[in-house]
Amino acid sequence: MPREHWAAFAEEGTHLQRYASRFNAVEINSSFYRPHLPKTYARWAQSVPSVFRFSVKVPKRITHELRLQGCATALDEFLEQCLHLEQKLGCLLVQLPPSLRYEPALATGFFTALRQRFAGAVVLEPRHPSWLDAEAMLLDMQIGRVNADPAVIDPGAGWQGVQYWRLHGSPRIYHSAYGPQRVQAYARLLEASAAAGVPTWCIFDNTASGHAVMDALLMVNSEHLVMPHAAPLSQ
């Protein structure tokens, strides 16, 4: 986290422990690029409060290299690692490459394999418009749809059992700040979702110019927002 925001967090502890003194969830983005040892996930889980939850991004080996095909072994390896978060594993994030079209048989096979191994919350961030045709399959598999900003495609209705916002920054992706007014607007959306009893996440991914932490602090301090499982910052 940027040095100018250090005073907003606990003075002692690891980076994660200090982060968890203000926020109650985090998206682990590094799992997309490289595996982490089971003992690393277990250490992270042990270092945060009992109410804290982790969202873990599914590896690009599965989504971008294998492209959801023949990935049973890769799924097993990934889950064997991140399931060491135990009850603090709140969600899995599946982000697809823009070139990956929706093919019903392939998608059904992948999500069936995932559901055979993991019963918890899963959200999908597709980036090819053909995935708008996947609504019935996602409802059947109970897979939520990511509400992304800026939106690459219409998120569709999807399964409403989990709500997951990923705010990448707009108009300049990864760089633009959201600021008080836009954060307040999102806070109202999140509040309505949480009030309906839906597990609700919000990730600020506008990290390139250091705005994510400030926007996340604005979110948790919002007078409109009292909710569980808000994840304001990527890690």
Side-chain angles (χ1 to χ4, degrees):
M1 62 190 75
R3 182 180 293 272
E4 62 265 29
H5 300 305
W6 282 8
F9 299 87
E11 294 183 4
E12 303 296 329
T14 66
H15 180 88
L16 176 59
Q17 288 171 326
R18 296 182 65 234
Y19 171 96
S21 71
R22 290 301 305 272
F23 304 134
N24 64 0
V26 72
E27 179 185 287
I28 299 176
N29 189 60
S30 56
S31 56
F32 179 75
Y33 299 100
R34 64 185 185 278
H36 297 298
L37 294 173
K39 66 181 181 181
T40 299
Y41 283 108
R43 185 178 72 250
W44 287 341
Q46 292 163 7
S47 67
V48 295
S50 60
V51 297
F52 194 94
R53 294 294 180 268
F54 294 84
S55 170
V56 186
K57 193 172 181 179
V58 171
K60 68 176 182 178
R61 169 67 177 156
I62 293 171
T63 56
H64 288 56
E65 296 172 11
L66 294 173
R67 298 172 70 84
L68 309 184
Q69 301 183 69
C71 52
T73 298
L75 266 178
D76 287 337
E77 291 173 350
F78 167 63
L79 290 170
E80 195 280 327
Q81 298 157 13
C82 70
L83 286 176
H84 282 260
L85 290 170
E86 298 183 347
Q87 76 274 12
K88 292 174 184 172
L89 175 54
C91 189
L92 295 181
L93 166 66
V94 182
Q95 184 189 61
L96 302 180
S99 61
L100 187 58
R101 298 181 59 89
Y102 173 58
E103 297 180 18
L106 174 61
T108 299
F110 169 75
F111 285 107
T112 296
L114 178 57
R115 278 300 182 213
Q116 288 170 344
R117 293 160 169 80
F118 182 72
V122 178
V123 294
L124 174 67
E125 186 177 9
R127 290 179 286 175
H128 191 283
S130 61
W131 282 87
L132 289 174
D133 296 332
E135 294 294 287
M137 184 272 295
L138 297 176
L139 285 169
D140 184 57
M141 298 286 180
Q142 296 190 339
I143 307 295
R145 293 286 292 267
V146 168
N147 299 292
D149 179 66
V152 178
I153 63 172
D154 187 320
W159 184 62
Q160 299 298 302
V162 60
Q163 291 290 332
Y164 200 104
W165 277 265
R166 295 191 87 217
L167 307 182
H168 300 297
S170 62
R172 187 183 180 199
I173 192 168
Y174 305 129
H175 288 270
S176 293
Y178 283 90
Q181 289 187 330
R182 286 202 290 171
V183 167
Q184 287 285 325
Y186 277 111
R188 287 189 285 269
L189 292 174
L190 271 62
E191 181 184 35
S193 174
V198 178
T200 303
W201 298 72
C202 181
I203 304 295
F204 284 99
D205 192 32
N206 52 337
T207 57
S209 295
H211 295 302
V213 172
M214 187 66 255
D215 285 333
L217 290 169
L218 287 171
M219 178 69 78
V220 299
N221 291 332
S222 170
E223 62 182 14
H224 295 286
L225 189 66
V226 179
M227 57 175 287
H229 306 330
L233 182 64
S234 297
Q235 174 167 299

